[in-house]
C-alpha cells in the first residue's frame, strides 16, 4: 500500500496519464526483478537542458560552467530527435532542469515536442521568466513546475541567489500562472535545507502554503560525481547540530501532514549519518530513470555516477539497450555500487521499492564519498550471464 500511495502522490505532482505511467513502471519493475531486457524506457528522464543561468546562487556554479564552457549545448534538432525517441519508448515524464531552462532560446519548442510525443513535462526553474512565458506554458499543457525559492523574504532570497528582483519576478510569475490556468500546471516551491536555513523552514511553509499548490524541502548537498554544487561552511551541518535539528524537524513533521513520509524522516540521516542510508536503501537508477546533461551525455542518475552514452552519437534505444547501460543495471541490482545520494536513495521510487525488494548490498561496499574523493562506476567490463542485448 505504501508503494501505491507514494507513487500516486508522485503522479499527482507531475500530472496524469496514469495508464502510460503504470505500464512503464510495471515494465521497469519486472526488468529489475527478473533481469530481463526492458520493453519500455525508464519511468522518467531528468534533462539538464543547459548549465547557463541568469542567477548567481552562492552554492551553485552551474552558471559559471555554462558561461565558461566551450562545448555547445545539444542542438535543437538532436534534442527533438531524442525526445521523440523517448516518447516512442514509453517514457512517462520528462523533467527539464538546468541551469535555468528558460534561458535556452528553443526551450519551449522542446517542451512542445515532449508533449506531442505523449510525455508529461515538468520544469524546474528559478521562476524569473514565468510571467513572461506564462501563457505559452499553459497553452503547451506543461504538467508541473517546481520553483526554487530560498526564503519567504525577498531580501534573503535575492541575496542567496545574487539576483536583483528575482523573488518579485518568481512571485508574479506564480500568480500569473494561477490566474490564467484552468488546471495545469501544478506549481510547487522548493526550499534548500541546510545549517543556515532550516530554522526558517516553518516561516517559509506558512508563507507559501496558500500561494503554491505544494511545498518541497530538499537537503542541500555537494555533488558526488559533478562539481556544480559548492557549499559554504555556514551551510554544512556539524555533528553537534543534530539534537537541535531533529527537534526542529520533528515539530514540522507533526504540524504538516505532507511531511509524514520516509523522504522527510531521513533528512537527519542524510545530514548526520549518510552511510546509514546506504544500509537501508537500494538504488534503482538505470531501471526507472536516467539523466542527460547539456552536452548530450547520458548517466544512470543525477549525480553523474556512470556515463552510459551520448545522444550526439547514439539513439536513445542504443543507449538504453547498450552494453554500458546493461553493466550499470547489473551493478545496481547486485548492490556493488558504492555511492549514495538523497535524490534517489530516499526518493518516491526507492523508499518503497527497497521495502519490496529489500536491500541486498554487497558486504563491505560502503559509502566513501563527500570527503573529496569522486566516485565513478566502471561500466566497460563485459557483462556475464544475463546480457540483455
Amino acid at each position: 500500500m505504501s508503494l501505491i500511495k507514494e507513487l500516486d502522490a508522485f503522479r499527482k505532482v507531475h500530472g496524469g496519464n496514469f495508464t502510460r505511467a503504470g505500464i512503464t513502471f510495471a515494465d521497469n519493475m519486472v526488468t529489475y526483478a527478473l533481469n530481463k531486457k526492458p520493453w519500455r524506457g525508464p519511468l522518467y528522464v531528468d534533462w539538464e537542458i543547459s548549465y547557463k543561468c541568469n542567477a548567481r546562487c552562492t552554492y551553485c556554479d552551474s552558471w559559471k560552467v555554462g558561461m565558461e564552457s566551450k562545448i555547445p549545448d545539444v542542438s535543437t534538432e538532436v534534442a527533438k530527435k531524442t525526445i521523440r525517441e523517448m516518447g516512442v519508448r514509453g517514457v512517462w515524464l520528462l523533467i527539464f532542469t538546468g541551469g535555468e531552462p528558460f534561458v535556452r532560446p528553443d526551450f519551449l519548442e522542446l517542451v512542445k515536442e515532449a508533449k506531442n510525443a505523449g510525455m508529461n513535462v515538468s520544469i524546474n526553474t528559478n521562476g524569473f521568466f514565468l510571467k513572461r512565458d506564462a501563457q505559452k506554458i499553459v497553452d503547451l499543457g506543461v504538467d508541473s513546475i517546481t520553483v526554487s525559492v530560498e526564503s519567504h523574504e525577498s531580501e534573503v532570497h535575492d541575496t542567496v541567489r545574487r539576483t536583483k528582483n528575482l523573488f518579485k519576478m518568481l512571485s508574479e510569475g506564480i500568480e500569473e500562472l494561477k490566474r490564467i490556468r484552468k488546471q495545469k500546471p501544478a506549481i510547487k516551491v522548493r526550499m534548500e535545507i541546510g545549517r543556515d536555513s532550516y530554522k526558517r523552514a516553518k516561516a517559509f511553509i506558512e508563507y507559501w502554503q496558500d500561494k503554491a499548490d505544494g511545498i518541497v524541502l530538499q537537503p542541500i548537498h555537494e555533488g558526488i560525481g559533478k562539481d556544480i554544487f559548492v557549499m559554504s561552511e555556514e551551510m554544512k551541518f556539524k555533528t553537534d547540530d543534530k539534537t537541535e535539528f531533529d527537534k526542529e524537524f520533528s515539530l514540522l513533521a507533526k504540524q504538516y501532514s505532507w511531511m509524514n513520509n520516509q523522504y522527510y524522516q531521513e533528512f537527519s540521516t542524510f545530514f548526520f549519518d549518510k552511510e546509514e542510508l546506504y544500509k537501508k536503501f537500494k538504488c534503482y537508477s538505470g531501471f526507472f530513470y536516467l539523466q542527460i546533461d547539456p552536452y548530450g551525455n547520458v548517466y544512470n542518475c543525477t549525480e553523474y555516477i556512470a556515463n552510459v552514452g551520448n545522444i550526439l552519437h547514439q539513439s536513445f534505444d542504443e543507449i538504453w539497450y547498450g552494453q554500458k547501460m546493461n553493466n550499470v543495471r547489473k551493478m545496481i541490482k547486485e548492490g556493488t555500487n558504492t555511492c549514495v545520494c538523497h535524490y534517489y536513495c530516499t526518493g518516491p521510487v526507492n523508499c518503497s521499492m527497497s521495502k519490496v525488494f529489500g536491500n541486498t548490498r554487497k558486504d563491505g561496499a560502503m559509502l566513501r564519498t563527500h570527503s573529496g574523493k569522486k566516485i565513478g562506476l566502471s561500466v566497460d567490463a563485459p557483462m556475464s550471464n544475463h546480457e540483455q542485448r
Side-chain angles (χ1 to χ4, degrees):
M1 185 60 69
S2 174
L3 176 63
I4 296 173
K5 286 178 64 178
E6 290 193 30
L7 289 174
D8 187 54
F10 185 71
R11 176 191 63 82
K12 288 178 180 177
V13 170
H14 296 292
N17 207 353
F18 191 70
T19 300
R20 185 185 181 99
I23 294 172
T24 299
F25 175 77
D27 182 68
N28 294 167
M29 192 170 180
V30 173
T31 297
Y32 177 86
L34 302 181
N35 293 330
K36 79 170 190 68
K37 173 183 171 181
W39 173 45
R40 296 172 74 89
L43 185 67
Y44 63 95
V45 174
D46 193 308
W47 194 337
E48 292 172 313
I49 206 67
S50 179
Y51 286 139
K52 297 179 178 68
C53 188
N54 59 304
R56 300 291 185 264
C57 301
T58 56
Y59 56 84
C60 178
D61 284 341
S62 176
W63 62 273
K64 188 181 297 183
V65 174
M67 185 171 61
E68 296 176 352
S69 176
K70 293 180 172 52
I71 306 173
D73 293 343
V74 170
S75 69
T76 305
E77 180 183 0
V78 172
K80 286 184 175 182
K81 173 179 174 291
T82 302
I83 289 169
R84 290 192 295 270
E85 291 170 346
M86 286 192 287
V88 170
R89 191 47 57 195
V91 171
W92 170 59
L93 173 67
L94 180 54
I95 303 172
F96 287 110
T97 183
E100 171 51 47
F102 285 95
V103 302
R104 182 168 166 141
D106 65 350
F107 174 55
L108 292 177
E109 287 185 56
L110 304 185
V111 171
K112 181 178 181 180
E113 196 73 34
K115 293 302 296 182
N116 288 341
M119 289 181 284
N120 284 24
V121 171
S122 181
I123 301 172
N124 292 342
T125 175
N126 62 37
F128 189 88
F129 301 101
L130 287 180
K131 186 175 182 179
R132 180 195 72 182
D133 292 328
Q135 191 62 59
K136 294 177 182 177
I137 291 169
V138 172
D139 291 345
L140 286 170
V142 171
D143 296 279
S144 63
I145 290 178
T146 300
V147 185
S148 297
V149 190
E150 303 296 340
S151 175
H152 57 292
E153 299 176 325
S154 60
E155 183 177 355
V156 173
H157 177 81
D158 291 355
T159 298
V160 174
R161 296 277 164 153
R162 294 187 292 199
T163 307
K164 187 177 180 180
N165 293 326
L166 182 51
F167 187 87
K168 174 178 180 290
M169 294 297 289
L170 73 86
S171 298
E172 291 179 356
I174 290 172
E175 286 303 311
E176 181 65 9
L177 282 170
K178 289 171 61 180
R179 185 184 71 81
I180 66 176
R181 70 182 179 180
K182 292 183 178 179
Q183 184 176 4
K184 297 190 295 186
I187 304 167
K188 283 203 168 192
V189 293
R190 181 179 63 212
M191 177 186 182
E192 300 284 351
I193 297 295
R195 187 172 186 260
D196 62 334
S197 64
Y198 78 94
K199 290 184 179 179
R200 62 174 182 259
K202 179 177 170 56
F204 179 92
I205 295 170
E206 290 294 317
Y207 178 86
W208 283 107
Q209 62 183 353
D210 296 326
K211 296 177 175 63
D213 301 317
I215 296 170
V216 179
L217 306 180
Q218 177 174 289
I220 196 167
H221 66 288
E222 292 179 326
I224 299 173
K226 58 182 177 181
D227 300 322
I228 288 177
F229 301 108
V230 183
M231 293 169 57
S232 67
E233 288 303 312
E234 290 75 19
M235 297 175 180
K236 298 177 182 178
F237 282 98
K238 309 295 189 295
T239 303
D240 55 7
D241 293 325
K242 187 177 188 307
T243 300
E244 188 172 358
F245 174 82
D246 288 351
K247 179 181 178 181
E248 187 84 15
F249 225 63
S250 64
L251 290 174
L252 289 178
K254 289 179 182 178
Q255 185 169 357
Y256 304 106
S257 60
W258 51 269
M259 290 185 64
N260 291 321
N261 58 51
Q262 199 158 15
Y263 172 78
Y264 289 111
Q265 291 167 8
E266 299 294 350
F267 267 47
S268 181
T269 314
F270 179 80
F271 287 131
F272 301 104
D273 191 10
K274 289 184 179 70
E275 290 192 357
E276 191 62 28
L277 283 181
Y278 190 88
K279 298 175 186 177
K280 294 170 71 171
F281 303 105
K282 282 202 67 175
C283 178
Y284 295 91
S285 67
F287 290 94
F288 294 89
Y289 38 79
L290 284 180
Q291 179 82 20
I292 307 176
D293 77 7
Y295 314 125
N297 295 302
V298 181
Y299 301 88
N300 64 311
C301 78
T302 191
E303 292 291 349
Y304 292 8
I305 298 301
N307 186 322
V308 295
N310 189 297
I311 61 173
L312 295 178
H313 316 296
Q314 300 161 277
S315 69
F316 184 80
D317 274 9
E318 287 173 336
I319 296 171
W320 183 241
Y321 292 109
Q323 185 71 65
K324 289 184 177 182
M325 191 71 257
N326 289 338
N327 289 348
V328 167
R329 292 192 191 104
K330 181 176 185 290
M331 292 181 202
I332 296 297
K333 179 66 183 291
E334 293 179 349
T336 56
N337 58 302
T338 58
C339 47
V340 65
C341 71
H342 196 272
Y343 284 117
Y344 292 142
C345 286
T346 60
V349 173
N350 291 43
C351 281
S352 297
M353 294 299 288
S354 289
K355 293 176 183 176
V356 174
F357 291 112
N359 188 350
T360 55
R361 302 274 191 186
K362 294 289 185 182
D363 292 340
M366 292 298 295
L367 171 68
R368 292 291 179 262
T369 59
H370 297 276
S371 60
K373 181 180 179 181
K374 292 183 181 180
I375 279 186
L377 298 182
S378 175
V379 296
D380 294 315
M383 200 166 177
S384 57
N385 297 330
H386 62 282
E387 182 175 348
Q388 297 161 4
R389 184 169 175 168

